[in-house]
Amino acid sequence: MTENLTTTVSSKSQTVEISRNLPTVIIGERINPTGRKKLQAALEENNFTIVRQDALDQVAAGATILDVNAGIPDGDEPVLLKEAVRIVMEATDVPLCIDTADPDALSAALSIYEGKALVNSVNGEERSLGEMLPLVKEYGAAVIGLCMDDDGIPESPEKRLTVAAKIIERASKLGIGPEDIVIDPLVLTMGADHNAGRITLETTELVVKEFGVNITMGASNVSFGLPDRMHINAAFMAMAIHAGLTCPITNPLVTELTTAVLAADLAMGRDEWGTRWIEAFRSREKSD
Amino acid sequence: MTENLTTTVSSKSQTVEISRNLPTVIIGERINPTGRKKLQAALEENNFTIVRQDALDQVAAGATILDVNAGIPDGDEPVLLKEAVRIVMEATDVPLCIDTADPDALSAALSIYEGKALVNSVNGEERSLGEMLPLVKEYGAAVIGLCMDDDGIPESPEKRLTVAAKIIERASKLGIGPEDIVIDPLVLTMGADHNAGRITLETTELVVKEFGVNITMGASNVSFGLPDRMHINAAFMAMAIHAGLTCPITNPLVTELTTAVLAADLAMGRDEWGTRWIEAFRSREKSD
């Protein structure tokens, strides 16, 4: 087993460490107009009220990093993303995960970001590696690497590992160390392929064993198209944490998911005396 | 990784295979007077009505093996266990897990058992190995081996592995193959030691990697003394299945636990097209 690496990200006033020796870090996923018509409409009118409220709500619910995505059809993404990042920096103290596939938008957002951001994301495509990684290096950020490349998402864990290896190698050539790479093994839905969850879990284990890097994923996708998604998501989250997941991108407002994360941390010995578990239980009791 | 072994147990009419390539097998834990005053009082009066009903209820709820324990203070265990086994064999078709530390009771129960039983349990103590293993061999049973010995329950996963190795080796000398040994890594409560869950998960992984044997545990104990035990138990169950657990001893009447088992099987790719998940969901909907 390779040594577990620590990824450090920061805002102006807060530093967050991601590591398998520490409790799981929740990256709040809500600030993303994909599939959220109200947020999309607001961004079209340069209205960032929802963005601000989403930031506050997610931090209150336990998110320790916030993902910020401002991609809308025909939107001026560099302008929108930069403004969204500015609004969220004003509203909260947590480090941000800047979510775009557009190098111009990334550059605009990083240019005003105060601290060490997490960039979401690069993948194994030549274009992504060539255009995005230099910006990650220039601004001293950390970066999420998706296990897909010009040929799409590989089916087997071994091939996804190969893509992760390519991203880590290319980053290394630019002077970005593996401690600043967070790999996303990618989660397809078991509603379409009942092996999808297994493939993600196995990829996670392979990548962790080989490189010791931190792991993120948007775990809820695994249950798309199946009934009783919440119980699948909770079990899969716990299993993914056991496999090596350290910073899921998820909705911290869904109590069942944050509870599964806390239970998994407890079972991994990362909750001394069960303090976090007991505190969260008391907080849930109060809000009932 | 060692090859995954298949443990086969049977009743007169049913064969159950336990393997990491198949869905998780639930061993129903209810027929056990420990901590159940009504059942204990009934057994004191040679009344097996509850035993019979527990058998029927657990099979209806999805147990595919039933644990049968008839140990009560000052009870004639050989007589009681033999009768309990007879009653359960009459009431259901599932294979049984004969649960006793008393060689006389084990011998009495095995002498009338029709099929290949699972014996619960031996441990690494010289007395247990010397008195119980020969009976397992004589009756051609499979056996659960607990990771404890004359010095108690070892704290570290490595030492628990050593006990498992000792049991497997001693069994082998009698001609009992590793496919007929199911190891219980033992689960202490995280209410007393927040590393208890981690130690059990790590022991499971070590034993699976080294021997490929099947794994059982009484997983619910992990949350004793903590609040909201159900969410801990569900997450831990899913994580333990990911670590290598194949036949938990648990209460199949607790829907949250059986649902976690089904979700974990789905995430491990052991539920083709999600058929079992969808069927169980429909059945839960009907019973609501």
Side-chain angles (χ1 to χ4, degrees):
Chain A
M1 185 68 81
T2 314
E3 192 195 349
N4 284 322
L5 298 172
T6 300
T7 305
T8 304
V9 293
S10 62
S11 64
K12 200 161 120 182
S13 60
Q14 282 188 16
T15 296
V16 170
E17 293 191 324
I18 306 168
S19 155
R20 265 170 295 279
N21 302 317
L22 294 169
T24 301
V25 166
I26 292 178
I27 304 177
E29 72 179 8
R30 294 282 292 162
I31 304 174
N32 188 333
T34 314
R36 293 183 70 197
K37 285 191 179 169
K38 277 191 186 175
L39 176 54
Q40 187 176 316
L43 290 175
E44 279 166 6
E45 295 169 1
N46 284 300
N47 178 341
F48 292 84
T49 316
I50 299 178
V51 167
R52 192 171 187 284
Q53 192 60 47
D54 278 344
L56 295 170
D57 291 346
Q58 291 184 98
V59 171
T64 39
I65 297 177
L66 292 179
D67 190 84
V68 181
N69 181 310
I72 57 173
D74 304 319
D76 186 343
E77 199 180 345
V79 171
L80 287 173
L81 185 61
K82 188 173 170 180
E83 183 61 7
V85 163
R86 199 185 61 71
I87 297 281
V88 177
M89 281 199 297
E90 270 179 20
T92 76
D93 287 331
V94 301
L96 302 187
C97 177
I98 298 174
D99 186 355
T100 178
D102 176 355
D104 293 337
L106 179 62
S107 180
L110 285 173
S111 72
I112 60 144
Y113 184 71
E114 301 178 276
K116 179 179 174 185
L118 182 59
V119 171
N120 185 10
S121 56
V122 301
N123 60 50
E125 291 174 22
E126 281 309 318
R127 189 174 153 275
S128 173
L129 293 168
E131 296 182 354
M132 303 287 275
L133 276 184
L135 291 170
V136 171
K137 174 62 184 170
E138 179 183 346
Y139 289 97
V143 63
I144 293 172
L146 310 184
C147 292
M148 58 182 289
D149 60 16
D150 298 277
D151 298 324
I153 301 174
E155 197 175 311
S156 77
E158 292 74 18
K159 285 185 183 160
R160 292 195 195 179
L161 172 68
T162 304
V163 179
K166 178 182 179 184
I167 295 169
I168 291 167
E169 190 196 335
R170 292 287 285 271
S172 168
K173 282 186 180 162
L174 292 179
I176 303 167
E179 70 281 3
D180 281 331
I181 314 281
V182 176
I183 293 294
D184 183 340
L186 296 179
V187 188
L188 298 178
T189 174
M190 300 190 295
D193 174 3
H194 66 271
N195 283 312
R198 179 182 63 74
I199 289 165
T200 300
L201 294 172
E202 287 184 13
T203 304
T204 300
E205 290 175 290
L206 287 175
V207 171
V208 166
K209 194 177 172 192
E210 185 79 16
F211 297 109
V213 294
N214 282 298
I215 303 287
T216 186
M217 64 180 79
S220 302
N221 192 35
V222 78
S223 61
F224 190 77
L226 288 165
D228 191 7
R229 295 187 61 182
M230 197 52 67
H231 278 109
I232 298 176
N233 291 349
F236 187 74
M237 180 70 87
M239 294 165 83
I241 289 171
H242 182 252
L245 170 65
T246 45
C247 49
I249 301 188
T250 191
N251 184 349
L253 304 176
V254 179
T255 309
E256 287 85 348
L257 282 178
T258 53
T259 301
V261 169
L262 286 166
D265 280 345
L266 182 60
M268 295 299 283
R270 297 176 194 158
D271 184 359
E272 207 169 352
W273 311 117
T275 310
R276 297 174 77 239
W277 178 259
I278 292 165
E279 277 173 11
F281 168 72
R282 286 183 185 148
S283 160
R284 285 199 297 279
E285 270 200 321
K286 271 186 203 160
S287 67
D288 275 352
Chain B
M1 183 69 80
T2 314
E3 192 195 350
N4 284 323
L5 298 172
T6 300
T7 305
T8 305
V9 293
S10 63
S11 64
K12 201 161 117 184
S13 60
Q14 283 188 15
T15 296
V16 171
E17 292 192 328
I18 307 168
S19 156
R20 265 171 296 279
N21 302 318
L22 294 169
T24 301
V25 166
I26 292 179
I27 305 176
E29 72 180 7
R30 294 282 293 161
I31 305 176
N32 187 333
T34 313
R36 293 185 70 197
K37 285 191 180 170
K38 275 191 186 173
L39 177 53
Q40 187 174 320
L43 290 175
E44 279 166 5
E45 295 169 0
N46 284 300
N47 178 342
F48 292 85
T49 316
I50 299 177
V51 167
R52 192 171 186 285
Q53 193 60 49
D54 278 344
L56 294 170
D57 291 347
Q58 291 184 101
V59 171
T64 39
I65 297 177
L66 293 178
D67 189 86
V68 181
N69 180 309
I72 55 174
D74 305 321
D76 186 341
E77 198 180 345
V79 170
L80 287 173
L81 185 62
K82 188 173 168 179
E83 183 62 8
V85 163
R86 198 183 62 73
I87 297 281
V88 177
M89 280 198 297
E90 269 180 20
T92 77
D93 286 330
V94 302
L96 302 187
C97 177
I98 298 174
D99 185 356
T100 179
D102 176 354
D104 293 338
L106 179 61
S107 179
L110 285 173
S111 73
I112 60 144
Y113 184 72
E114 300 177 278
K116 180 179 173 186
L118 182 59
V119 171
N120 185 8
S121 57
V122 301
N123 60 50
E125 292 175 20
E126 282 307 319
R127 190 174 151 277
S128 173
L129 293 168
E131 295 182 353
M132 304 286 276
L133 276 185
L135 290 170
V136 170
K137 175 60 184 171
E138 181 183 344
Y139 288 97
V143 64
I144 294 172
L146 310 183
C147 291
M148 57 181 290
D149 60 15
D150 298 280
D151 298 324
I153 301 174
E155 198 176 309
S156 77
E158 292 74 17
K159 284 185 183 161
R160 291 194 196 179
L161 173 68
T162 304
V163 179
K166 178 182 178 186
I167 294 169
I168 291 167
E169 191 196 334
R170 292 288 285 270
S172 167
K173 282 186 182 163
L174 290 179
I176 304 166
E179 70 281 2
D180 280 332
I181 314 281
V182 177
I183 293 294
D184 183 339
L186 295 178
V187 188
L188 299 176
T189 175
M190 300 191 294
D193 174 4
H194 66 270
N195 282 311
R198 180 182 63 75
I199 290 165
T200 300
L201 294 172
E202 287 184 13
T203 304
T204 300
E205 291 175 290
L206 287 176
V207 170
V208 166
K209 193 177 172 193
E210 184 79 16
F211 297 109
V213 294
N214 282 298
I215 302 286
T216 186
M217 63 179 79
S220 302
N221 192 36
V222 78
S223 61
F224 190 78
L226 288 164
D228 191 7
R229 295 187 60 183
M230 197 52 68
H231 279 109
I232 299 176
N233 291 349
F236 186 74
M237 180 70 85
M239 295 164 83
I241 288 171
H242 182 251
L245 170 64
T246 44
C247 50
I249 301 188
T250 191
N251 184 350
L253 304 176
V254 180
T255 308
E256 288 86 347
L257 282 178
T258 53
T259 302
V261 168
L262 285 166
D265 279 345
L266 182 60
M268 296 297 284
R270 297 177 193 157
D271 184 358
E272 207 169 351
W273 311 117
T275 310
R276 297 173 78 238
W277 178 260
I278 293 165
E279 277 173 10
F281 168 72
R282 287 183 184 150
S283 160
R284 285 199 297 281
E285 271 200 321
K286 271 187 203 159
S287 66
D288 275 353

